[in-house]
């Protein structure tokens, strides 16, 4: 289990590195480089629009890779999704700017971002299921949390590279070529991930199945549509929080508050370090006390903290901004640390790869794709404190709280024994 968990964590870290490095670049440089005819705010909105395309592609990736995950096994999905995400990320770093090839530049950016999202949509389901379905009884939450810690590691890698480049290069050097380096690094990371995953064994739960779903998506839609919609709505707050902290606040702090890139990245990264380190502990608590109570607790905390978070951000003081981000990410991890066990337990094994991944990634469309765009637009028409952003995030949290309240508890028992919830 430690070896399998380490390989799953490394794989999700690499794929989320690819996804996050784009978000950081969108907040810092992509607007002026690829949408130079727009105003600064409109350019940022356009860059966040291409960022959102990745989220739209993720459910499609869940359907595509989930089909093969339920039909052919979890392991092949991990290799294929990593190859697709890694190759498209490296290609983003090679796209010429608008000044070189005109409108073809943002079009290429859009296509490659779509391919990134398509690959990542298949990654989560395969990585989580391979770990959860190998885990011993009573410890699904703990072991399935290692892929869930991967996004934090990927974020830290992506922003660590950006921070190092931002601190050592001039603004002109960073805008000219420095921002491309993290995308090229993705190629090296992808090769390392493929090596790690080449020796993984297939899920024993999948191998035990005698009857595989013929068309997994059709079975999910027919028998689990209500569950998919509820999980998507419930998870939207987590995506909204994470990308408000890691993407929107980065653009807001540098453009509106005049805080340096280095300071903003350091504050965000420090909060993500704490969040990532707490993931296994929270997951272990879910093995003891259940998944749903922790999700309800985290969602409630998010609803109460969004207004304080934007108020602390608006101060521009590094320590206060860090505290605002930390409170938000603590609410986030209380929910998302348990999802690696919770979502698979909600679905029967024959459609688990498709159902869990589609619900997870639809939540990304609702919360992750829209939040940077909506928050940027709301902040543009507010004073120094973006109260409209706080109201929007609070509303998302309350909506998700209602969805979590309608989901059942899955007892911390053997994953294969969980009762499916039908529509």
């Amino acid at each position: 289990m430690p070896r399998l968990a380490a390989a799953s964590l490394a794989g999700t870290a690499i794929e989320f590195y690819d996804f996050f490095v784009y978000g950081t670049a969108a907040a810092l440089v992509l607007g002026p480089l690829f949408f130079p005819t727009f105003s600064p705010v409109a350019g940022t909105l356009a860059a966040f629009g291409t960022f959102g395309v990745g989220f739209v592609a993720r459910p499609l990736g869940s359907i595509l890779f989930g089909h093969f995950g339920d039909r052919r096994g979890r392991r092949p999905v991990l290799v294929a999704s990593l190859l697709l995400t890694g190759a498209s990320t490296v290609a983003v770093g090679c796209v010429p700017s608008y000044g070189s090839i005109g409108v073809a530049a943002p079009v290429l950016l859009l296509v490659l971002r779509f391919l990134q999202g398509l690959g990542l949509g298949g990654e989560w389901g395969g990585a989580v299921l391979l770990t959860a379905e190998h885990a011993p009884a009573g410890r699904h939450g703990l072991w399935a949390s290692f892929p869930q810690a991967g996004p934090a590691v990927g974020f830290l890698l992506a922003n660590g590279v950006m921070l190092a480049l931002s601190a050592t290069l001039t603004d002109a050097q960073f805008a000219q070529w420095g921002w491309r380096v993290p995308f090229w690094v993705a190629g090296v990371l992808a090769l390392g991930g493929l090596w790690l995953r080449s020796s993984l064994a297939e899920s024993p739960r999948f191998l035990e199945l005698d009857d595989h779903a013929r068309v997994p998506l059709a079975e999910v839609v027919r028998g689990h549509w209500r569950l998919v919609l509820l999980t998507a709505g419930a998870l939207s707050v987590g995506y909204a929080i994470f990308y408000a902290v890691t993407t929107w606040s980065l653009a807001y702090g540098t453009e509106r508050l005049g805080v340096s890139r280095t300071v903003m990245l350091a504050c965000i990264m420090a909060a993500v370090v704490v969040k990532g380190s707490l993931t296994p502990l929270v997951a272990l608590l879910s093995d003891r006390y259940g998944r749903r109570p922790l999700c309800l607790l985290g969602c409630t905390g998010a609803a109460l903290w969004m207004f304080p978070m934007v108020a602390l951000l608006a101060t521009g003081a590094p320590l206060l901004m860090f505290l605002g981000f930390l409170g938000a990410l603590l609410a986030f991890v209380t929910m998302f640390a348990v999802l690696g066990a919770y979502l698979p337990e909600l679905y029967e094994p024959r459609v688990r790869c498709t159902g869990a991944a589609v619900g997870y990634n639809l939540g990304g469309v609702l919360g992750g794709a829209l939040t940077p765009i909506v928050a940027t637009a709301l902040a543009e028409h507010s004073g120094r404190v973006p109260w409209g952003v706080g109201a929007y995030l609070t509303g998302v949290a309350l909506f998700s709280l209602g969805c979590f309240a309608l989901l059942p508890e899955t007892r911390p028992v053997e994953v294969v024994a969980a009762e499916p919830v039908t529509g």
Side-chain angles (χ1 to χ4, degrees), residues 70-71 204-214 349-350 416:
D70 285 321
R71 294 277 300 163
R205 299 292 176 267
F206 177 81
L207 295 175
E208 290 169 2
L209 289 175
D210 296 323
D211 182 26
H212 299 288
R214 188 175 180 82
R350 58 186 278 115
V416 75

Side-chain angles (χ1 to χ4, degrees), residues 14 20 73 84-85 93 95 106 109 123 144 156 171 177 199 205 217 235 240 261 308 322 342 354 356 364 407:
I14 291 165
F20 290 146
L84 178 59
T85 308
V95 176
L109 204 63
E123 162 67 24
L156 292 171
D171 287 346
W177 59 268
S199 60
R205 299 292 176 267
L217 179 63
L235 303 188
R261 286 195 303 262
F322 163 73
Y342 192 22
T354 300
L407 285 172

Side-chain angles (χ1 to χ4, degrees), residues 303-390:
L304 296 173
W305 189 249
M306 293 301 96
F307 281 110
M309 185 193 78
V310 297
L312 291 168
L313 169 63
T315 66
L319 179 59
L320 295 179
M321 290 192 298
F322 163 73
L323 291 175
F325 299 152
L326 179 61
L329 292 182
L330 288 178
F332 167 88
V333 76
T334 306
M335 295 176 280
F336 269 54
V338 309
L339 294 182
Y342 192 22
L343 292 192
E345 289 170 352
L346 290 169
Y347 292 89
E348 57 185 309
R350 58 186 278 115
V351 296
R352 186 172 282 159
C353 196
T354 300
V358 169
Y360 184 84
N361 288 298
L362 277 178
V365 177
L366 296 175
L370 295 177
T371 293
I373 299 170
V374 173
T376 299
L378 290 173
E380 174 65 11
H381 301 290
S382 66
R384 182 174 178 85
V385 181
W387 296 119
V389 177

